[in-house]
């Protein structure tokens, strides 16, 4: 429920942003949590912090023309939503997927603002991307698209202004093409302008693994306060991209047993445990489909998409995309005895699913907190770039683990302080909102 004092601001967001369902959903979740903060701090209402925090500082939409391998001209639409720079330069990934539109980029940028605040690092929030489908495209086509995208984006970004990174469809290959074009146009080797770079050209060790590893650390923390551990638990992970692969990796390292993962064509169930080496070979090296995984693993089977949450497990990690786990899926997971659910993707659980998990007492880690390890490690990459240094894998991973433990502790303590023990959704939203709002007040009317 949204506090009645926030109803008018909420109605205004809906009116000003028609048809942007995902953005509405993300705003609603935050507003449902922050009523008690507004009640305690009247200056936030006076300064219209809710209204300002829900309005991006800047929104860019641009044409991305490029030529495919047959010489045909293709036109895509590029986006960058610079949501909030109170805490530092805008920071957030780029998504290349046919579903990308302004509403999706705004929801992601809004979420990113709070997630970045939770990390405690000096970074604001942004998100961007294009309705470009990289599937089936050659390396040359990907390069031409990235070069055209950056030919417009370069004028809006910079290490002190806005620092993009990867997201769905954007990995080290794409960041390489984007960085190369930025360097060429600006005549500057400005490492800190993008994160997720290759290690040879300014990238940080652990960035590739960071989001997935961070999720496993967060789950470990949630289970620990309940007297449990990951060791010996059965786990299901949706998706098979960057986040999913390294969540599986760390869950295995911590003694868990991941039996299923997926892509948009289907779900692979591997009763002996997902073989990480095979998964990485198929998805990272060969850029093929999960259906190709079963050729290497005779006992593994392929199921229809969408059915992954029917597989009984104690830990469920949705790591693919928004709204991929609904109320029915949650009911099924609860019936099958799930103990912990952590959002690897951004907003993968629908509001009905989140409510069901909280009501059933399942340990539920919202994406803002559970998947913040990726952007936190991006901020560590920026630190290394600024000091022209490069840290070891062990040191960087230790920093990541400490950041995730701190985020967990903050969310846990805040939830208790506001009378909702164990509710990490409340904890994450209130902690991050307070940080952004307090700084916005300090910076005056901007
Ligand atoms: P990738 O592009 O590497 O992988 C995405 C994976 O999700 C692919 O396996 C893809 O399958 C699958 N997927 C996408 N849409 C669907 C769908 N509708 N149904 C089933 N599977 C689907 O992206 P990432 O791993 O980087 O990102 C995954 C999620 O994590 C996103 O929500 C992203 O915003 C979030 N995130 C990512 C971070 C990062 O550091 N990369 C940081 C924090 C959050 P297919 O190939 O068939 O499309």
């Amino acid at each position: 429920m949204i506090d009645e004092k926030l109803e008018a601001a909420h109605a205004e967001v809906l009116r000003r942003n028609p048809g942007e369902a995902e953005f509405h959903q993300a705003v609603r979740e935050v507003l449902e949590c922050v009523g008690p903060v507004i009640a305690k701090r009247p200056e936030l209402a006076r300064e219209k912090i809710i209204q300002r925090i829900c309005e991006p500082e800047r929104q860019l939409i641009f044409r991305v023309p490029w030529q495919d391998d047959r010489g045909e001209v293709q036109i895509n639409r590029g986006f960058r939503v610079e949501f909030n720079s109170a805490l530092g330069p805008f920071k957030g990934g780029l998504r290349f997927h046919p579903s990308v539109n302004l509403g999706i980029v705004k929801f992601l940028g809004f979420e990113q603002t709070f997630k970045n605040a939770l990390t405690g690092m000096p970074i604001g929030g942004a998100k961007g991307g294009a309705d470009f489908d990289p599937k089936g495209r050659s390396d040359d086509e990907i390069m031409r698209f990235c070069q055209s995208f950056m030919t417009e984006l370069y004028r809006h970004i910079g290490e002190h202004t806005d620092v993009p990174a990867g997201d769905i469809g954007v990995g080290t290959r794409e960041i390489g093409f984007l960085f190369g074009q930025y360097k060429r146009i600006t005549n500057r080797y400005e490492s800190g302008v993008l994160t997720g770079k290759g290690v040879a050209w300014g990238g940080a060790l652990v960035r590739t693994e960071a989001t997935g590893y961070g999720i496993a650390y967060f789950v470990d923390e949630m289970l620990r306060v309940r007297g449990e551990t990951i060791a010996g638990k059965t786990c299901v992970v949706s998706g098979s991209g960057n986040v999913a692969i390294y969540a599986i990796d760390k869950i295995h390292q911590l003694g868990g047993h991941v039996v299923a993962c997926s892509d948009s064509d289907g779900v692979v169930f591997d009763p002996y445990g997902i073989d990480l080496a095979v998964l990485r070979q198929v998805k990272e090296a060969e850029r093929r489909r999960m259906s190709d995984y079963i050729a290497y693993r005779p006992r593994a089977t392929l199921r229809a998409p969408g059915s992954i949450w029917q597989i009984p497990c104690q830990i469920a990690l949705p790591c693919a995309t928004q709204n991929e786990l609904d109320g029915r899926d949650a009911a099924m997971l609860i019936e099958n005895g799930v103990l912990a659910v952590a959002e690897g993707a951004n907003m993968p659980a629908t509001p009905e699913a989140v409510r069901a998990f909280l009501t059933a007492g399942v340990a539920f880690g919202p994406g803002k907190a559970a998947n913040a390890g990726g952007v936190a490690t991006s901020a560590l990459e920026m630190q290394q770039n600024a000091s022209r240094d490069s840290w070891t894998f062990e040191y960087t991973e230790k920093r990541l683990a400490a950041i995730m433990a701190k985020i967990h502790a903050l969310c846990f303590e805040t939830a208790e302080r506001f009378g909702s023990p164990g509710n990490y959704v409340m904890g994450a939203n209130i902690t991050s909102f307070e940080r952004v709002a307090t700084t916005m007040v300090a910076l005056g009317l901007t």
Side-chain angles (χ1 to χ4, degrees):
M1 277 281 286
I2 294 184
D3 188 292
E4 60 179 21
K5 286 200 196 67
L6 300 180
E7 266 305 345
H10 179 232
E12 191 64 0
V13 171
L14 302 187
R15 191 188 67 75
R16 286 164 66 86
N17 303 280
E20 296 178 352
E22 291 86 358
F23 180 50
H24 297 171
Q25 187 181 332
V27 168
R28 184 172 183 93
E29 187 203 285
V30 171
L31 296 195
E32 279 180 348
C33 294
V34 301
V37 182
I38 300 290
K40 272 196 201 160
R41 298 182 51 185
E43 82 276 16
L44 300 183
R46 201 167 51 239
E47 296 287 344
K48 296 241 162 56
I49 291 297
I50 293 290
Q51 291 86 338
R52 281 157 64 194
I53 227 165
C54 293
E55 182 70 18
E57 287 183 35
R58 191 176 294 125
Q59 307 183 54
L60 307 156
I61 304 180
F62 50 94
R63 182 170 65 202
V64 188
W66 59 284
Q67 244 176 338
D68 68 19
D69 284 346
R70 292 171 305 159
E72 200 170 312
V73 171
Q74 303 280 345
I75 312 291
N76 285 99
R77 186 170 291 172
F79 301 88
R80 186 71 180 164
V81 174
E82 297 180 331
F83 224 103
N84 193 301
S85 63
L87 293 175
F90 300 108
K91 177 94 197 85
L94 299 171
R95 175 177 291 191
F96 291 169
H97 193 271
S99 64
V100 166
N101 58 39
L102 184 61
I104 286 181
V105 178
K106 275 163 75 177
F107 120 65
L108 290 165
F110 183 77
E111 286 270 303
Q112 194 80 43
T113 299
F114 299 101
K115 179 188 313 192
N116 293 4
L118 266 185
T119 67
M121 323 286 272
I123 41 179
K127 204 79 184 192
D131 60 353
F132 167 69
D133 189 356
K135 264 192 217 121
R137 292 292 178 190
S138 68
D139 283 356
D140 284 347
E141 289 178 315
I142 298 285
M143 181 179 73
R144 286 195 292 274
F145 178 81
C146 288
Q147 290 178 338
S148 179
F149 186 84
M150 184 54 85
T151 300
E152 172 58 35
L153 187 70
Y154 88 96
R155 65 187 90 243
H156 308 291
I157 62 176
E159 62 180 321
H160 300 297
T161 315
D162 182 354
V163 183
D167 190 77
I168 292 178
V170 178
T172 311
R173 173 183 60 170
E174 290 74 19
I175 294 292
F177 295 145
L178 292 163
F179 183 63
Q181 184 73 350
Y182 182 85
K183 180 170 81 61
R184 185 179 189 198
I185 296 173
T186 60
N187 196 31
R188 280 164 62 86
Y189 204 106
E190 189 184 330
S191 301
V193 69
L194 289 166
T195 59
K197 301 180 291 295
V199 173
W201 36 281
L205 288 166
V206 189
R207 177 59 191 92
T208 304
E209 295 83 356
T211 308
Y213 278 20
I215 294 156
Y217 286 134
F218 196 87
V219 170
D220 196 43
E221 295 287 336
M222 290 200 299
L223 288 177
R224 227 181 264 252
V225 295
R226 292 166 174 239
E228 298 269 5
T229 63
I230 289 176
K233 303 279 187 306
T234 300
C235 180
V236 164
V237 177
S238 66
S240 51
N242 173 261
V243 176
I245 289 173
Y246 293 97
I248 294 170
D249 185 8
K250 188 52 81 179
I251 291 282
H252 281 168
Q253 287 179 31
L254 296 173
H257 186 60
V258 182
V259 294
C261 66
S262 64
D263 60 20
S264 50
D265 296 341
V267 172
V268 162
F269 175 64
D270 192 338
Y272 290 91
I274 295 290
D275 184 315
L276 191 74
V278 171
L279 181 66
R280 290 190 58 192
Q281 178 64 26
V282 170
K283 299 302 291 191
E284 288 184 337
E286 297 168 9
R287 296 181 187 277
R288 283 158 66 201
R289 312 296 301 156
M290 279 314 295
S291 49
D292 297 307
Y293 171 97
I294 55 174
Y296 293 88
R297 300 276 294 171
R299 296 245 157 81
T301 52
L302 187 70
R303 302 176 175 195
S307 62
I308 196 164
W309 310 119
Q310 292 171 359
I311 299 169
C313 62
Q314 290 142 314
I315 300 172
L317 305 179
C319 294
T321 194
Q322 63 272 3
N323 292 326
E324 55 163 312
L325 192 167
D326 64 18
R328 274 178 48 192
D329 297 324
M332 188 114 58
L333 283 164
I334 292 164
E335 198 182 308
N336 287 334
V338 75
L339 295 173
V341 178
E343 293 188 313
N346 287 308
M347 213 168 73
T350 64
E352 295 72 32
V354 176
R355 260 195 301 280
F357 289 135
L358 294 177
T359 307
V362 172
F364 177 77
K368 277 184 194 85
N371 72 35
V375 73
T377 308
S378 277
L380 299 180
E381 181 172 332
M382 290 162 74
Q383 276 187 31
Q384 289 166 80
N385 293 153
S387 58
R388 298 186 191 281
D389 200 358
S390 56
W391 305 343
T392 63
F393 193 96
E394 292 69 28
Y395 175 73
T396 318
E397 194 186 352
K398 227 183 239 171
R399 295 275 308 259
L400 168 66
I403 291 167
M404 295 312 297
K406 195 163 171 202
I407 292 174
H408 173 272
L410 271 171
C411 297
F412 187 82
E413 285 157 16
T414 305
E416 289 221 317
R417 186 157 51 88
F418 280 82
S420 297
N423 184 339
Y424 294 95
V425 177
M426 280 287 270
N429 283 318
I430 291 180
T431 308
S432 54
F433 174 78
E434 282 193 309
R435 282 189 172 166
V436 180
T438 303
T439 306
M440 286 175 75
V441 172
L443 298 186
L445 185 55
T446 59

